[in-house]
């Protein structure tokens, strides 16, 4: 293997490690007011999940893998959960969302219109929206009641005209959410 290749691999590994560290620090540190809000958001997200009679997961593209993991883990807690990755189904089912239902929307950019347009309907019907994203300035964040923000590295190695960016920050947020819910459940048993 060439020296250039080894440097590129090392750079990629460091980028992934930085994403894990930054996302973890953003969620766990409680030293500043801003980070205390992020911890509060995890608590608020856990409460939304606990109070939800039904949960709808919205995801597109490769983010479906993260949503699928959330679906399976929430079902282990006997939550009623459905996953929608088709924009037409998202639009259809949001027409029936009620106050005690929760939509969890997952999007790296937070700017996916196929997810955000149905969420506007959820807002009109007083449903709850929990967002998992890496863009705190996104439309998804503005539409959400509670959001968990992960860190996404600006450095991306992408040789395709497709969205193949790493979903690692979303997997980490999902893990934190499920771990938080598990702790909540054990404390309330």
């Amino acid at each position: 293997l060439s020296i250039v290749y080894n440097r590129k691999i090392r750079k990629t590994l460091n980028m992934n490690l930085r994403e894990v560290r930054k996302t973890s620090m953003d969620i766990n540190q409680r030293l500043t007011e801003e980070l205390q809000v992020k911890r509060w958001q995890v608590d608020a997200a856990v409460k939304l999940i606990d109070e939800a009679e039904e949960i709808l997961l919205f995801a597109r593209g490769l983010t479906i893998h993260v949503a699928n993991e959330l679906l399976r883990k929430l079902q282990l807690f006997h939550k009623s959960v459905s996953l929608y990755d088709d924009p037409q189904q998202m639009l259809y089912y949001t027409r029936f969302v009620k106050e005690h239902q929760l939509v969890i929307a997952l999007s790296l950019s937070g700017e996916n219109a196929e997810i955000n347009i149905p969420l506007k309907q959820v807002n009109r019907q007083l449903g709850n929206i929990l967002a998992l994203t890496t863009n705190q300035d996104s439309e998804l964040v503005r539409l959400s009641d509670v959001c968990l923000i992960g860190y996404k590295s600006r450095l991306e190695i992408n040789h395709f005209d497709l969205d193949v960016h790493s979903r690692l920050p979303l997997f980490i947020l999902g893990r934190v959410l499920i771990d938080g819910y598990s702790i909540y459940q054990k404390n309330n048993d």
Side-chain angles (χ1 to χ4, degrees):
L1 296 173
S2 73
I3 294 172
V4 173
Y5 176 78
N6 284 334
R7 276 191 220 136
K8 287 182 180 180
I9 291 296
R10 199 172 353 194
K11 189 175 183 179
T12 301
L13 290 171
N14 286 332
M15 174 195 65
N16 287 323
L17 182 59
R18 200 169 27 256
E19 282 185 354
V20 170
R21 284 182 180 156
K22 181 84 170 108
T23 298
S24 178
M25 286 184 340
D26 282 355
I27 292 171
N28 291 321
Q29 286 184 342
R30 302 175 193 177
L31 300 175
T32 66
E33 183 177 319
E34 177 184 334
L35 294 175
Q36 285 177 350
V37 169
K38 289 185 181 186
R39 184 188 175 281
W40 171 85
Q41 289 176 330
V42 172
D43 294 343
V46 165
K47 185 176 180 194
L48 283 176
I49 289 172
D50 187 60
E51 293 175 352
E53 293 173 5
E54 181 181 6
I55 299 171
L56 291 77
L57 295 168
F58 288 3
R60 299 280 296 141
L62 294 175
T63 304
I64 293 166
H65 299 294
V66 181
N68 237 325
E69 185 173 312
L70 272 176
L71 173 120
R72 306 255 183 270
K73 290 182 177 178
L74 288 168
Q75 286 175 336
L76 290 172
F77 290 104
H78 305 284
K79 298 301 285 184
S80 174
V81 188
S82 304
L83 170 58
Y84 300 101
D85 62 348
D86 179 84
Q88 294 301 318
Q89 288 182 342
M90 289 180 209
L91 276 170
Y92 177 79
Y93 287 107
T94 55
R95 295 189 319 197
F96 307 105
V97 171
K98 302 290 184 234
E99 191 174 335
H100 293 290
Q101 292 175 303
L102 172 64
V103 175
I104 301 177
L106 298 90
S107 171
L108 273 179
S109 70
E111 296 295 345
N112 188 324
E114 294 173 325
I115 292 174
N116 292 339
I117 289 171
L119 294 181
K120 292 175 184 176
Q121 177 71 23
V122 175
N123 277 334
R124 285 192 292 274
Q125 294 175 200
L126 302 175
N128 295 299
I129 301 171
L130 168 59
L132 277 63
T133 187
T134 61
N135 183 356
Q136 67 185 10
D137 299 318
S138 65
E139 181 178 13
L140 177 58
V141 169
R142 289 187 293 278
L143 291 168
S144 300
D145 300 296
V146 176
C147 54
L148 301 181
I149 311 289
Y151 174 78
K152 181 177 166 294
S153 173
R154 303 249 187 272
L155 175 66
E156 282 289 340
I157 299 167
N158 187 356
H159 302 288
F160 310 100
D161 293 329
L162 301 170
D163 180 11
V164 293
H165 300 288
S166 172
R167 279 13 186 214
L168 184 60
L170 295 178
F171 276 110
I172 293 167
L173 292 174
R175 169 78 186 264
V176 167
L177 186 60
I178 294 300
D179 286 351
Y181 189 64
S182 178
I183 291 165
Y184 176 85
Q185 286 293 308
K186 286 181 182 178
N187 286 340
N188 290 323
D189 279 345

